[in-house]
Amino acid sequence: MSDPQNTQPNPDTLQGAPSPEELEAAQAANEADALAAARAEIAALQAKNAELADQYLRAQADVQNARRRADEEVSKGRKFAIEGFAESLLPVLDSLEAGLAAQDATVEHLREGTEATLRQLKSALERNKVIEIAPPAGSKFDPHLHQAISMVPAPGQESNTIVGVLQKGYTIADRILRPALVTVSNPS
């Protein structure tokens, strides 16, 4: 017989299959843990979604503000781009008005004043990068800079070279403002 004090529990009874109630309780606990984890994940995703939506709205507002500022700068640039040019022409205007206001001016004085005014005008144009195109006779015809008005016979001169300038041309910052009107030698 066995001693009641030395009775050891049977490992088979302790390790035995769980009862249906225990299984149901364990399954409910697992479902509760999974539900809690899913809810926590949903809450975290909702918070991240709200944060990203806020960042998106802020970025959109920044883009709209940058676009508005750029539009204002372009508008101001267009409106006041000619300001420097106009300012450089004011002394020319003053000189012309002074010349017309002179009552007792001689032809020599008028000529000197006109030449000085012309120098002022040329200087103002050059300061604003308006450069004259006045090719010398005999230079090669360039259709990018010159417009041929007529072709004339020019003995002793290569064909397609400039014989004379009828009207000077101008560039502004390396862009053709007006081509020079020229006569070109006839191919012989």
Side-chain angles (χ1 to χ4, degrees), residues 76-90:
K76 284 180 185 176
R78 286 183 182 146
K79 188 184 285 185
F80 299 111
I82 197 161
E83 182 178 18
F85 184 67
E87 189 175 304
S88 66
L89 289 180
L90 291 178

Side-chain angles (χ1 to χ4, degrees), residues 15-26:
Q15 297 293 328
S19 69
E21 292 85 21
E22 290 174 331
L23 285 174
E24 193 176 306

Side-chain angles (χ1 to χ4, degrees), residues 141 147-152 157 161-166 181-185:
F141 174 75
Q147 182 177 350
I149 297 302
S150 64
M151 296 188 87
V152 295
Q157 196 169 330
T161 57
I162 295 171
V163 175
V165 177
L166 303 172
L181 302 181
V182 296
T183 55
V184 179
S185 61

Side-chain angles (χ1 to χ4, degrees), residues 119-171:
R119 283 192 302 273
Q120 281 181 320
L121 179 60
K122 285 183 176 184
S123 173
L125 290 172
E126 286 176 7
R127 275 195 311 273
N128 288 282
K129 306 214 179 351
V130 178
I131 308 299
E132 181 179 279
I133 303 172
S139 61
K140 190 76 176 153
F141 174 75
D142 182 354
H144 296 99
L145 300 174
H146 313 128
Q147 182 177 350
I149 297 302
S150 64
M151 296 188 87
V152 295
Q157 196 169 330
E158 282 185 47
S159 69
N160 289 331
T161 57
I162 295 171
V163 175
V165 177
L166 303 172
Q167 184 181 61
K168 295 177 185 176
Y170 292 91
T171 61

Side-chain angles (χ1 to χ4, degrees), residues 84-136:
F85 184 67
E87 189 175 304
S88 66
L89 289 180
L90 291 178
V92 176
L93 178 66
D94 294 339
S95 293
L96 287 172
E97 288 175 344
L100 289 174
Q103 298 288 328
D104 299 329
T106 65
V107 173
E108 282 184 18
H109 287 110
L110 287 176
R111 180 157 183 84
E112 287 174 15
T114 303
E115 288 173 352
T117 303
L118 180 61
R119 283 192 302 273
Q120 281 181 320
L121 179 60
K122 285 183 176 184
S123 173
L125 290 172
E126 286 176 7
R127 275 195 311 273
N128 288 282
K129 306 214 179 351
V130 178
I131 308 299
E132 181 179 279
I133 303 172

Side-chain angles (χ1 to χ4, degrees), residues 1-9:
M1 263 206 257
S2 57
D3 185 13
Q5 288 178 333
N6 276 348
T7 311
Q8 293 230 342

